Amino acid sequence: MKKIVALFLAVLMLLSFVGCASTGTETGTGEGGAAAADFKVGAIYINSKNDTAGYTFAHHNGIVTAMKAMGMDVDKQLFIVDEVPEDAEQVGAAVDTLVGKGVNIIFGISFGYIDAMETKAAEYPVVIFSHATGYKSNSTNFNNYFGRAYQARYLAGIAAGLKSLAIGNNNVGYVAAYGTEYAETASGINGFAMGVQSVNPDAKVYVKKLGTWADEVNEAAFAKELIDSFGCGVISQHCDSAQPQIAAEKANVFGCGYNSDMTPDAPKAHLTAAIWHWDVYYGTAIKAAMECGEASKFVEKMGTPAYYGGLKENFVDVSPLSENCVEGTDKAIAAVRKLIVDGEWDVFSGVKLSVNAQGEVVKTDAALVDNQGNEIVPAGGESVADSVITGTMNYFVAGVELV
Amino acid sequence: MGFHIVKRENCPWWQRLILYVAAVLIALGLGAVVLLFMGVDPIEYYYQMFTMGTVGNRIAYKTFMNYLKEFVPLALTATALSLAFKMRFWNIGGEGQFIMGSIAAAFVVFRFGPVLPMWLTLVLMCLAAMLVAGLYGSIAGVLKVKFGTNETLLTLMLNYVALYVLNFIGETKADWNFFLQEQSARPVFKNFSSIAAFPQFALGGKFQLNLCVILTFAVGALVFIYLKYTKQGYEVSVVGDSLGSARYAGMKTGWVILRTVFLSAALIGLAAAFKVGTAGVLSTSITDDVGWTGITVAWLAQLYTPMIFLVSALICVLQHGSMVAAATFSQVDSSFANMLQGAILFLVLAADFYTRFRLARVKKGEKKNG
C-alpha cells in the first residue's frame, strides 16, 4: 500500500513539475511567412510511410516530389506520423506531436480525420490544416482538397469503350470499393460509364462492390466473376491493388486500373489507368502556405476552402496508353481532354459527347438520366454542382447496373 | 559434456533486477542495430523516444496529457486482466470487452446524457460499461464452468464479434443509429464531449489532470488490497494454483471463477468508460489495442499490481515516444515500437526463466535426470 501511495505521489509531482515548466506562450512560429529553408511540413498517414504502393504511398510520393521540386530538404523539413487510425484521440495526439515539432502546415490524408482536424485547427490558429477527401473547412487556416477523378475516369472510359467495340463485347465490368454509399465511388463509376458510352452507346457497365477500400482476395474474385458470369471484356476498378487487372490478364480480357499505371502488373491486359498527381496539390498548398504570411490567411491565399482540381490543373490524369489500346484512342482522348481543360464541357452536364477513334467529337443536348429513369440534369442543362459530385451523388447513371 | 536445467532455490531481488534491466538493455541494443542499418543514429532516436520529444517543446504539457490518455486505459486493462490471469483464466478477450463497454458507455451518453446532470451521466456511463463488459466476459466464464469449454478460444473469438458489432454501428446510416452524425453523407461517429466528459483539474500551468487518472490509481490500489488482503483474493490465487485443493478446501470454485471473470471484464469496461468519457467520441480503433498490450503488460509485471502500473507507464513511454521519434526520422515508421516491445517481452521472459532456473554442467559419469 505504501508503495502505491509513493508511486502515485511521485507521478503527481512529476506531472505538476511539467505543468509548471510549460507555462510558455502558445506554440507556433507565428513570425509571419517562413522561408523555404525553415518551413516545416507535417503529415498524418493512415498506413505506413514506407509503403511501396497504395493510397498512403501516393500521398507520400506527392508530398516528397513537391517538396523536392521546391528545393526543400525532406529529411529535415518533413515530419510524419503514420499508421494513425481514424480515431479522434490518436489523430489529436499526432497533431500535438507535429505542432510540438514546429510544423507550419499539417496534411491529413484520411477521411475519418475530419472532426479531429476541425477541432485542432481551432485550437492551433497559427498552424495550417489541410484535409484530403473531407468537406469541412474554415475561412482562415483549415481547408480540404480532392480532385475531379471522374474526369480522368471519363478518359479511361473512352479507352475501354473503344476496346469493347474492337472486341465486339458490350459488357464492361467494374470492381468498386463501394457503390452509391459514397459519392466518391458513385461519381467515379458514372464518369467511367459515360466515357465508355461516348464511344459505345450500347455498352453496359456491371458493378460489383467490395464493401471495403482494399481486399486483395475479393478484388481478384469479383473481377473473375464479372468476366465469367457477366461476360465482361474490359474490367475497370476503384480499389487499392492491381488484382482486378491481373485477373483480367489471366482471363485474356482487358482492363483499366486506378491510382497508378498498372501496365507493369498486367502488361497484356491493361489499357490505361485513372491516376492522381498529388504533388500538384501539395506543391500549390505548400507554396501558398509559405507566401500567405500567416496561417490565418491561408484559405484566402488558396482562393477557396475546398480545392477541387481536375484535368485542367493536371491534378488527375490517365497513365500513358499501353500497346493494348485500340489505334486512335489517343486522338479520341486528346479531343475530349481539350474540351474539359478549356472549360467548354464537363462530364455531368446536359450535353452528351459522341466520340470516335478519329478524334471527332459531336455534342448533343441530352438529359442526364439515372438508371431508374429519373432525370438528373435536363437536356442542355448546366453540370451537376461540385458539392453533389463530392458529397451527395447517390445514384448510378443509365447503363450502369449493380450486380 | 552438456548442460541441463536446474531449479533455482532462491533468487535475491537484486539479481532479479539486474536480469530484467539487462534484458531491456539487450532489447534496446538489438533495436539500435536495426536503427543503424536504417541509417538512423540510435542515441538520437532513443533520446527522442525516452523524452517523448518534450525537451525544448513549447507544448510539452500536451505530450503528457496525451501520454496519460494512453496510460489510463492500458494500466486499468492490464490490472483487470491480471485478476483473471491470477486464477489461470486466460482472458484474451480484453479487446472485445473494452469495445462492448465503450458501446454501452456511448449508449448511456446519447440516451440519457441530454436530460441528466453530467456527474450522473458519468456515473451511469461507468456502471453501464462495467455491467455490459462484465456480462460479455462472463459468457466465456459460464460456458467454462458449465461445460468446461476452453476460455482462450472463446474470449478470443468474442473479440471479433464485438469488433464487427462496432463496425456495423459505425458504418450503417439509419434512423435508429443515433451513434452517427445526422448531417454527414458518409457515416461518421457523433461527438458527445459537450454532453459528457470527465472533469479535469488544472495543476499549475496549462497541464490538466483528468479525474480518470486519479480514479485509475484508486482502482489499482483497491485491486491490490483485494488480491492481497481479502478472502476473495485468496480464493482467486488458490483456484489458480490448484483447482483440486480449492475444492478440497470447500471453496465453491465455479462461483469463484464466475465472480472473478465478471470483475475482470467489468474493470475493462470501466477502462472503456474512462476512454470514451475522455475522447468524447467512439471509433473503430477505440481500444488502441489495450486488450492485447494489456496481456503483455500483465505478464511483464508478473501480475503484481504496483508493477503493472510501472510497466504500463514504461510501455506507454515506448509507444508514445516511438511515435514522436518516428515523426523525426523518415526511415523509421511507428511499427518499430511494436518490434521493440516484442523484443523486450521476449527477453524479459527469458530473464524470468533464469530467475527460476539455471544451467548446470553435466559432470562426467553423472546420471542425467531426464
Side-chain angles (χ1 to χ4, degrees):
Chain A
M1 188 61 208
K2 242 189 227 164
K3 278 184 200 158
I4 295 169
V5 174
L7 188 70
F8 180 55
L9 288 177
V11 169
L12 263 187
M13 225 166 74
L14 179 76
L15 293 176
S16 50
F17 170 71
V18 168
C20 299
S22 57
T23 42
T25 50
E26 197 63 37
T27 170
T29 51
E31 283 105 23
D38 56 7
F39 191 86
K40 289 181 181 169
V41 177
I44 305 176
Y45 295 161
I46 185 93
N47 290 329
S48 169
K49 59 189 170 191
N50 294 332
D51 278 359
T52 51
Y55 185 73
T56 296
F57 169 74
H59 283 269
H60 182 61
N61 200 25
I63 293 176
V64 169
T65 309
M67 286 179 71
K68 282 187 178 156
M70 298 168 86
M72 296 168 77
D73 181 353
V74 176
D75 283 339
K76 294 207 172 68
Q77 290 175 277
L78 176 58
F79 297 86
I80 298 165
V81 181
D82 63 353
E83 292 174 357
V84 179
E86 296 182 331
D87 175 284
E89 292 257 282
Q90 295 184 50
V91 177
V95 169
D96 291 341
T97 301
L98 292 172
V99 173
K101 296 275 176 199
V103 300
N104 304 79
I105 184 168
I106 295 175
F107 296 110
I109 68 164
S110 199
F111 175 76
Y113 298 170
I114 187 162
D115 287 343
M117 296 276 292
E118 185 186 37
T119 318
K120 287 291 176 181
E123 190 180 326
Y124 298 117
V126 295
V127 178
I128 297 164
F129 289 79
S130 194
H131 180 221
T133 77
Y135 55 82
K136 290 192 176 174
S137 60
N138 66 23
S139 58
T140 54
N141 67 328
F142 176 36
N143 81 340
N144 60 65
Y145 56 101
F146 208 34
R148 300 175 188 275
Y150 68 91
Q151 293 180 338
R153 288 201 181 270
Y154 190 94
L155 300 187
I158 292 174
L162 288 171
K163 195 74 199 181
S164 73
L165 282 177
I167 58 176
N169 179 346
N170 291 333
N171 300 329
V172 175
Y174 198 111
V175 180
Y178 292 92
T180 50
E181 304 92 318
Y182 286 89
E184 181 186 344
T185 46
S187 65
I189 292 164
N190 290 338
F192 178 80
M194 291 166 75
V196 173
Q197 289 161 357
S198 73
V199 288
N200 182 359
D202 300 325
K204 281 210 70 156
V205 175
Y206 295 97
V207 177
K208 269 197 83 76
K209 63 172 182 177
L210 295 160
T212 173
W213 294 104
D215 176 354
E216 294 208 6
V217 175
N218 275 336
E219 284 171 30
F222 284 14
K224 191 167 182 314
E225 193 188 335
L226 284 166
I227 296 163
D228 294 346
S229 309
F230 296 89
C232 295
V234 183
I235 298 293
S236 182
Q237 66 176 80
H238 189 150
C239 49
D240 256 17
S241 83
Q243 288 302 328
Q245 303 308 310
I246 296 167
E249 172 147 317
K250 276 189 192 149
N252 288 319
V253 298
F254 300 91
C256 293
Y258 181 53
N259 269 334
S260 63
D261 185 356
M262 292 181 172
T263 306
D265 300 293
K268 289 201 202 94
H270 193 243
L271 303 171
T272 182
I275 56 168
W276 296 82
H277 294 303
W278 289 105
D279 56 302
V280 170
Y281 171 72
Y282 288 119
T284 311
I286 293 171
K287 193 159 174 290
M290 277 196 244
E291 288 173 355
C292 66
E294 49 192 277
S296 62
K297 299 217 172 92
F298 175 71
V299 171
E300 193 188 325
K301 180 83 188 172
M302 287 296 288
T304 163
Y307 178 92
Y308 197 41
L311 284 174
K312 188 176 166 207
E313 292 80 8
N314 194 31
F315 187 25
V316 297
D317 202 352
V318 282
S319 63
L321 303 179
S322 80
E323 287 173 1
N324 305 315
C325 288
V326 175
E327 205 184 323
T329 302
D330 52 341
K331 282 186 212 148
I333 286 179
V336 175
R337 178 200 296 271
K338 189 170 184 313
L339 285 179
I340 295 177
V341 170
D342 292 349
E344 283 176 36
W345 176 82
D346 203 357
V347 175
F348 301 119
S349 64
V351 178
K352 215 169 230 169
L353 299 188
S354 177
V355 189
N356 65 21
Q358 280 73 51
E360 295 160 350
V361 179
V362 180
K363 283 192 202 170
T364 13
D365 286 357
L368 180 66
V369 183
D370 74 10
N371 64 358
Q372 307 296 313
N374 304 313
E375 185 179 280
I376 307 293
V377 179
E382 287 282 306
S383 175
V384 166
D386 286 352
S387 60
V388 174
I389 304 173
T390 55
T392 55
M393 184 174 271
N394 57 357
Y395 48 81
F396 288 137
V397 295
V400 175
E401 195 185 326
L402 185 71
V403 294
Chain B
M1 191 66 177
F3 292 98
H4 69 151
I5 296 162
V6 182
K7 182 117 174 65
R8 220 173 192 172
E9 283 314 316
N10 53 350
C11 182
W13 67 270
W14 58 268
Q15 251 180 26
R16 283 220 300 257
L17 189 70
I18 289 173
L19 276 167
Y20 291 143
V21 170
V24 174
L25 287 180
I26 293 171
L28 291 177
L30 286 176
V33 173
V34 176
L35 286 172
L36 278 175
F37 270 109
M38 288 190 280
V40 173
D41 179 1
I43 294 172
E44 182 60 24
Y45 186 90
Y46 284 138
Y47 175 74
Q48 287 274 343
M49 190 178 93
F50 284 112
T51 59
M52 297 193 288
T54 49
V55 178
N57 185 344
R58 277 197 261 187
I59 52 163
Y61 69 99
K62 290 256 178 198
T63 307
F64 281 94
M65 284 165 71
N66 288 329
Y67 169 79
L68 285 175
K69 282 183 190 168
E70 283 177 36
F71 171 78
V72 163
L74 180 61
L76 203 47
T77 304
T79 306
L81 287 173
S82 73
L83 271 173
F85 291 163
K86 207 143 212 165
M87 201 178 60
R88 304 279 152 99
F89 183 97
W90 310 121
N91 182 9
I92 311 296
E95 287 281 300
Q97 289 144 23
F98 196 97
I99 288 171
M100 284 304 185
S102 52
I103 294 173
F107 179 89
V108 167
V109 179
F110 284 127
R111 277 280 123 144
F112 309 112
V115 291
L116 293 178
M118 195 188 275
W119 66 268
L120 191 56
T121 311
L122 289 171
V123 171
L124 280 181
M125 225 173 117
C126 293
L127 290 177
M130 289 175 78
L131 182 69
V132 171
L135 290 176
Y136 196 66
S138 299
I139 297 174
V142 169
L143 290 173
K144 182 178 172 90
V145 171
K146 280 267 162 203
F147 305 109
T149 51
N150 180 323
E151 77 278 9
T152 314
L153 282 177
L154 265 176
T155 50
L156 178 69
M157 290 192 292
L158 285 171
N159 283 339
Y160 297 99
V161 175
L163 182 61
Y164 283 109
V165 168
L166 182 60
N167 280 345
F168 175 75
I169 294 173
E171 285 176 5
T172 312
K173 266 197 91 73
D175 293 335
W176 57 264
N177 197 342
F178 50 82
F179 290 97
L180 299 181
Q181 289 177 12
E182 291 86 3
Q183 71 279 14
S184 172
R186 286 190 184 185
V188 180
F189 279 114
K190 191 157 60 181
N191 191 296
F192 49 79
S193 46
S194 57
I195 311 176
F198 282 98
Q200 309 197 95
F201 312 104
L203 281 188
K206 289 190 175 139
F207 181 81
Q208 304 259 329
L209 184 68
N210 196 301
L211 176 66
C212 296
V213 181
I214 300 165
L215 291 178
T216 300
F217 277 94
V219 172
L222 288 175
V223 169
F224 179 72
I225 294 167
Y226 177 79
L227 282 175
K228 191 147 186 182
Y229 298 110
T230 67
K231 179 165 159 268
Q232 294 196 354
Y234 179 69
E235 286 173 342
V236 169
S237 45
V238 175
V239 169
D241 283 342
S242 161
L243 205 57
S245 314
R247 283 210 190 94
Y248 186 73
M251 291 178 191
K252 290 175 188 150
T253 50
W255 168 241
V256 173
I257 292 175
L258 276 183
R259 187 182 68 200
T260 312
V261 171
F262 180 85
L263 191 60
S264 165
L267 285 181
I268 294 176
L270 184 64
F274 285 177
K275 168 94 186 199
V276 169
T278 317
V281 63
L282 279 181
S283 94
T284 45
S285 319
I286 189 85
T287 67
D288 200 9
D289 289 343
V290 287
W292 306 120
T293 320
I295 299 172
T296 312
V297 170
W299 280 114
L300 282 176
Q302 305 194 324
L303 312 183
Y304 182 55
T305 318
M307 271 300 274
I308 287 176
F309 276 69
L310 186 64
V311 173
S312 299
L314 292 175
I315 291 275
C316 285
V317 168
L318 181 69
Q319 287 186 339
H320 202 84
S322 290
M323 175 179 84
V324 176
T328 324
F329 298 99
S330 53
Q331 300 94 319
V332 194
D333 60 29
S334 10
S335 30
F336 183 76
N338 296 337
M339 196 212 76
L340 209 55
Q341 197 181 312
I344 291 176
L345 175 68
F346 187 80
L347 286 160
V348 167
L349 290 182
D352 187 46
F353 175 83
Y354 281 101
T355 63
R356 291 172 210 219
F357 303 97
R358 62 190 170 84
L359 292 178
R361 275 210 175 138
V362 181
K363 288 184 199 123
K364 250 185 195 161
E366 191 186 5
K367 205 182 150 205
K368 280 183 194 170
N369 43 352

